[in-house]
Each structure stands twice: as structure tokens, then as C-alpha cells.
């Protein structure tokens, strides 16, 4: 099963696109390393304090993939320099 989440975030401490790339790179590498998920920036590449991330988890059951996405969202919330604003989750 595939569970997919679109997450909009606000980056408080970024004052340039270079700052934003640095923060997002750290977040994406930590999430993909710890949880073995795919993550990518999907929108707002030209704005330095806003981003939209796509997170995908694939598993043999929908329950496990949903748990992985929830763990990813919890880990995302643990980063103090960002705030998660809008989250849409879909199961396929």
C-alpha cells in the first residue's frame, strides 16, 4: 500500500533561499534516513520562508504505511525552525 502526504511548512529562521535549502536538506536527509521514505519539495521553490513537501511511504499494509507517515510527521514537528501548517494525507 502507498500512503502519501502533502505538507506545507513555514520556515521561521530562513532569510534567503540558501538558508531554506540548507534547512530542507537536513530535514529531508533525516526523514529519508530514519524512516526509509521518499520526500521531495513540491512547491514554493522561489519563496524563502515557505515550502510544500511530498512524503511517500510504501508498505505491504496500509496500517504500516500510515504509521510510517505519522512517524514522519512527528519527526517533522520536532524541528524547531519550522512549523507545519497544512497537511493532506491520501492512501492508495
Amino acid at each position: 500500500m502507498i500512503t502519501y502526504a502533502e505538507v506545507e511548512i513555514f520556515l521561521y529562521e530562513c532569510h534567503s533561499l540558501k538558508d531554506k535549502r540548507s534547512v530542507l536538506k537536513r530535514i529531508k536527509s533525516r526523514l529519508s534516513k530514519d524512516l526509509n521514505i521518499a520526500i521531495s519539495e513540491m512547491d514554493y521553490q522561489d519563496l524563502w520562508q515557505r515550502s510544500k513537501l511530498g512524503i511517500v511511504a510504501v508498505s505491504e499494509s496500509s496500517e504500516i504505511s500510515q504509521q510510517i507517515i505519522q512517524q514522519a510527521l512527528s519527526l517533522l514537528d520536532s524541528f524547531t525552525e519550522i512549523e507545519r501548517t497544512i497537511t493532506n494525507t491520501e492512501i492508495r
Side-chain angles (χ1 to χ4, degrees):
M1 300 302 292
I2 299 170
T3 303
Y4 169 76
E6 284 184 6
V7 180
E8 290 193 26
I9 59 173
F10 187 78
L11 299 102
Y12 288 110
E13 313 226 345
C14 294
H15 301 289
S16 68
L17 289 175
K18 187 176 180 180
D19 290 343
K20 176 184 174 181
R21 281 192 307 271
S22 150
V23 170
L24 289 180
K25 184 177 180 181
R26 188 173 70 249
I27 290 170
K28 292 186 327 184
S29 67
R30 172 104 184 262
L31 286 171
S32 63
K33 184 184 85 165
D34 289 356
L35 299 172
N36 196 21
I37 57 174
I39 183 168
S40 178
E41 184 177 15
M42 297 177 53
D43 205 356
Y44 311 117
Q45 286 91 349
D46 56 340
L47 301 176
W48 45 269
Q49 285 192 318
R50 189 173 179 193
S51 184
K52 184 181 221 178
L53 301 175
I55 304 170
V56 178
V58 180
S59 180
E60 65 273 358
S61 72
S62 64
E63 293 83 19
I64 293 174
S65 61
Q66 287 177 29
Q67 288 176 353
I68 293 169
I69 290 294
Q70 288 305 315
Q71 289 174 347
L73 296 176
S74 295
L75 187 56
L76 193 62
D77 289 339
S78 72
F79 289 93
T80 58
E81 62 265 34
I82 66 167
E83 177 183 355
R84 182 166 51 108
T85 57
I86 300 172
T87 304
N88 297 318
T89 305
E90 186 176 321
I91 303 166
R92 294 190 179 202

